[in-house]
Amino acid sequence: MSFEEYNPPSTLKVPENPVTRAKYPFVDIHSHQGGINQEKIEKLLSEMEELNMGVLVNLSGRGFGRGDSNSQQEYIRGMLKEFEAHAPGRFMVFTNLNFAGFGDENWSRIAVKELEEDVQAGAVGLKIYKSLGLSVKDINGNRVPVDHPDLDPVWAKAGELGIPVIIHSADPAQFWQPMDANNERWLELKTHPNRQRSETDPAPFEQIIAEQHHVFEKHPNTTFINAHMGWMANDLDKAEAHLERYPNVNFGIGAVIAEFGRQPRRAREFFIKYQDRLLFGKDAYNPEEFHTYFRVLETADEYFPYYKKYHAFWRMYGLDLPDEVLKKVYYKNALRIVPGMDKTLFPE
């Protein structure tokens, strides 16, 4: 029998309180949606109603970097019009950067101009994919570091416009470590071998993360959301130090709920202490997977399964968060950070 096959049902008898609908309406700050038309919107709205999702934030405003700037801007404007026509207020859109031609003396000026145009059209934030720091190259074929000086005008403009920047840098540190019996992400690397990295593919994990933190330090007047807890959900002492050092940074909890679910006492303490700096997000959009997020955050349940073995082969425990903390994580922090959200969709 292989490790992948070994998955026995638990014989432990404990109270079970599955949650299929969030206790309060919530904002999903981290979603990726494409093919937006009336049919897709109606399907999403039906699923959102079942989950009690008040607002879905689509971070893929320009898609995933396909086409030139003109086609990308046409794409985001078409998306914004569809959302406004069929579900006003229920969907918010973040724009993205076009890195084509990076290194040209005009790149920064054009990027800033397009950011302003997208915000004027209705975008309410900027999403930076993990490709920056990993695969984005300049016109000379060199890796573009996250803190490249040509990006400084973009970060500064986001601050001037009052929009948040949600940024995903690198991947879990284990992707850079040897794929052996000591690697907690062994199964993920086995099932997704393209995720394995090295010190030269394209740079050390620590270097990419340091570049991201340098951006936070250089732009204190810009609000950042560090996606996936900046890969610090497994080290909450480090996460605390990060928030203390960078008051302009918040954490998105997308794709790291399994880390909280295995350290419920420490995680509960963290959520209560930094309740004003945490935002609910899911990333991969699979409605049934939200149920595990709700159960971890809302209940005191013990030893219940996670939904994806290659992410977490361990069981979950609930944090049983106080109602006021839940409200902040679910919607209040997003309402404060993201401009233009319809506050009437949420309780006081």
Side-chain angles (χ1 to χ4, degrees):
M1 185 193 307
S2 68
F3 175 64
E4 298 97 301
E5 293 172 306
Y6 183 68
N7 193 28
S10 172
T11 60
L12 184 68
K13 303 300 180 184
V14 289
E16 296 191 32
N17 300 282
V19 184
T20 59
R21 179 178 172 83
K23 188 173 185 179
Y24 300 105
F26 68 94
V27 175
D28 182 359
I29 198 71
H30 195 137
S31 192
H32 298 285
Q33 303 292 336
I36 301 301
N37 54 31
Q38 184 174 357
E39 182 181 3
K40 176 72 174 284
I41 290 170
E42 288 175 354
K43 180 177 185 296
L44 287 170
L45 283 173
S46 174
E47 293 166 344
M48 289 163 66
E49 290 301 326
E50 291 182 8
L51 295 168
N52 203 15
M53 187 191 303
V55 173
L56 182 151
V57 179
N58 186 16
L59 301 182
S60 302
R62 286 186 173 216
F64 291 93
R66 302 181 187 93
D68 59 23
S69 285
N70 288 336
S71 62
Q72 288 176 10
Q73 288 194 297
E74 190 176 316
Y75 179 87
I76 191 172
R77 287 169 186 169
M79 178 189 296
L80 287 162
K81 286 177 182 175
E82 288 289 320
F83 282 145
E84 182 60 29
H86 303 298
R90 299 299 302 278
F91 298 89
M92 309 297 279
V93 179
F94 279 34
T95 188
N96 316 112
L97 295 179
N98 181 359
F99 288 102
F102 191 93
D104 182 274
E105 61 181 5
N106 292 312
W107 187 90
S108 298
R109 177 183 58 79
I110 294 170
V112 167
K113 174 177 172 287
E114 291 181 2
L115 178 61
E116 290 179 304
E117 291 170 350
D118 288 354
V119 170
Q120 189 174 7
V124 295
L126 173 63
K127 158 66 174 177
I128 304 298
Y129 296 119
K130 68 179 178 181
S131 54
L132 177 62
L134 288 177
S135 60
V136 172
K137 290 182 168 56
D138 65 15
I139 54 178
N140 298 312
N142 299 312
R143 182 185 77 93
V144 176
V146 182
D147 59 349
H148 194 288
D150 288 3
L151 287 160
D152 285 335
V154 174
W155 313 134
K157 179 54 67 173
E160 291 174 23
L161 294 170
I163 60 168
V165 177
I166 184 166
I167 180 168
H168 172 176
S169 297
D171 270 323
Q174 294 90 345
F175 290 2
W176 276 259
Q177 295 167 1
M179 185 183 165
D180 58 22
N182 296 311
N183 192 321
E184 202 168 48
R185 295 268 183 164
W186 176 87
L187 181 56
E188 183 169 1
L189 293 173
K190 182 176 187 294
T191 55
H192 299 76
N194 62 317
R195 296 184 182 181
Q196 191 162 20
R197 299 282 179 180
S198 72
E199 299 293 286
T200 57
D201 179 21
F205 170 82
E206 294 79 9
Q207 180 180 333
I208 298 170
I209 294 299
E211 292 168 358
Q212 183 203 59
H213 296 181
H214 189 210
V215 171
F216 300 155
E217 183 178 29
K218 285 197 292 183
H219 297 277
N221 296 322
T222 301
T223 298
F224 291 93
I225 301 168
N226 198 343
H228 313 303
M229 287 275 294
W231 308 117
M232 289 178 272
N234 64 326
D235 186 346
L236 293 181
D237 289 346
K238 182 184 289 187
E240 285 198 7
H242 185 73
L243 291 179
E244 293 295 335
R245 181 169 181 179
Y246 306 111
N248 57 324
V249 173
N250 306 273
F251 278 141
I253 66 169
V256 292
I257 196 72
E259 299 291 1
F260 305 128
R262 62 172 170 172
Q263 51 174 335
R265 290 189 292 274
R266 179 68 179 91
R268 187 178 196 274
E269 175 189 278
F270 177 83
F271 269 74
I272 291 172
K273 184 174 182 179
Y274 293 100
Q275 58 189 269
D276 297 314
R277 310 280 293 277
L278 304 170
L279 293 91
F280 184 94
K282 173 67 180 64
D283 196 2
Y285 181 80
N286 298 298
E288 67 280 358
E289 293 178 359
F290 282 85
H291 303 169
T292 300
Y293 279 68
F294 305 154
R295 193 172 180 185
V296 168
L297 296 175
E298 297 181 19
T299 78
D301 281 6
E302 296 183 294
Y303 204 75
F304 54 92
Y306 185 67
Y307 53 81
K308 195 176 285 183
K309 187 177 180 182
Y310 71 76
H311 268 178
F313 51 84
W314 52 85
R315 296 284 178 137
M316 300 291 101
Y317 296 81
L319 275 56
D320 192 22
L321 292 176
D323 284 357
E324 190 52 39
V325 177
L326 276 176
K327 290 177 184 177
K328 288 182 179 180
V329 174
Y330 274 157
Y331 65 90
K332 286 187 175 182
N333 293 337
L335 292 182
R336 186 184 74 251
I337 291 169
V338 181
M341 281 200 179
D342 184 355
K343 294 180 171 59
T344 66
L345 296 169
F346 304 90
E348 287 296 322

